Amino acid sequence: MPDFTQDWFSRAIPVWRELVLPRLPAGHRRWLELGSYEGMSAILTLDNAMRDGDELVGVDYWPDAAIEARFDVNVGNRATKWKGLCVDYLLHAVQRGDHFDVVYIDADHEAAACIEQAVLAWRLLGPGGILIFDDYSWTHPHGSVGKLDPRAGVDAFIQCYQTRLTVLHLHVQAVIEKRRGTCRASPLLLRLS
């Protein structure tokens, strides 16, 4: 039985069941989770959206060994685990030409990081792919100097990509669908130094 110390995810379950799960492709599915923490969202995804042969990749920096150990116990070998910075994983995934049906962004809660991760994640989504931002309505605690809330980054991304996406939901989470007829960018356009 999974062991969690925090539940920041249950509130999203109805939205995922209504808007995300029905849009998943019938064939092989790939799901990328940026910010896996203890694995609660990964378990819901594995139990409700993934079948044998499908792949979920969980990416997190896991600076706390106890939280990482909890993820390992909760998720086990049911997902591919990648420890490191989300942007590093995204850069390598774009360079490799990877693709995902869903990218769930729940890592850095700073507006600039949301934009950075969204732009790179967008390149990994095929037409009809889903991009989910957690904590759309979350705000930094009073007195957090120089930090912009995630909403500012998500709204800026939506504004810049508005002709290529459809906003499905904006509340606690933002759920966005990549419009059909929108291609993934070529991995050759990104050069890693």
Side-chain angles (χ1 to χ4, degrees):
M1 179 148 175
D3 175 31
F4 304 109
T5 61
Q6 304 288 331
D7 181 0
W8 296 312
F9 181 72
S10 292
R11 69 187 189 276
I13 292 172
V15 172
W16 283 30
R17 286 199 172 129
E18 178 186 346
L19 297 175
V20 178
L21 300 182
R23 286 178 165 77
L24 292 175
H28 179 73
R29 298 173 179 176
R30 295 192 75 222
W31 189 294
L32 175 60
E33 181 176 276
L34 302 173
S36 292
Y37 198 62
E38 296 175 333
M40 184 176 279
S41 55
I43 297 238
L44 175 88
T45 302
L46 290 163
D47 289 347
N48 293 281
M50 310 302 269
R51 302 164 306 216
D52 288 342
D54 292 346
E55 182 182 9
L56 184 141
V57 177
V59 179
D60 206 306
Y61 183 61
W62 285 292
D64 184 321
I67 292 170
E68 181 179 5
R70 193 166 282 112
F71 174 87
D72 292 342
V73 168
N74 289 334
V75 177
N77 63 358
R78 296 178 65 196
T80 301
K81 175 183 165 185
W82 198 87
K83 183 174 180 173
L85 298 176
C86 293
V87 70
D88 290 342
Y89 178 85
L90 288 165
L91 287 167
H92 288 290
V94 168
Q95 186 66 29
R96 284 190 310 263
D98 282 355
H99 73 280
F100 291 92
D101 302 298
V102 177
V103 178
Y104 175 46
I105 298 176
D106 186 21
D108 192 319
H109 295 82
E110 178 92 35
C114 287
I115 292 172
E116 184 177 71
Q117 292 172 14
V119 168
L120 292 170
W122 191 256
R123 297 172 62 96
L124 301 174
L125 288 173
I130 303 292
L131 183 61
I132 306 167
F133 296 90
D134 195 39
D135 299 318
Y136 177 72
S137 61
W138 183 81
T139 58
H140 286 282
H142 182 69
S144 297
V145 178
K147 294 187 180 234
L148 293 176
D149 297 333
R151 179 184 302 232
V154 175
D155 288 348
F157 175 80
I158 290 171
Q159 179 67 29
C160 290
Y161 283 76
Q162 64 182 307
T163 61
R164 303 174 193 176
L165 58 79
T166 301
V167 175
L168 302 175
H169 180 80
L170 286 177
H171 187 53
V172 173
Q173 290 189 331
V175 180
I176 297 165
E177 183 175 42
K178 189 171 193 176
R179 290 188 183 153
R180 306 241 178 237
T182 304
C183 298
R184 275 197 315 272
S186 167
L188 300 176
L189 297 177
L190 177 67
R191 300 280 184 226
L192 298 176
S193 53

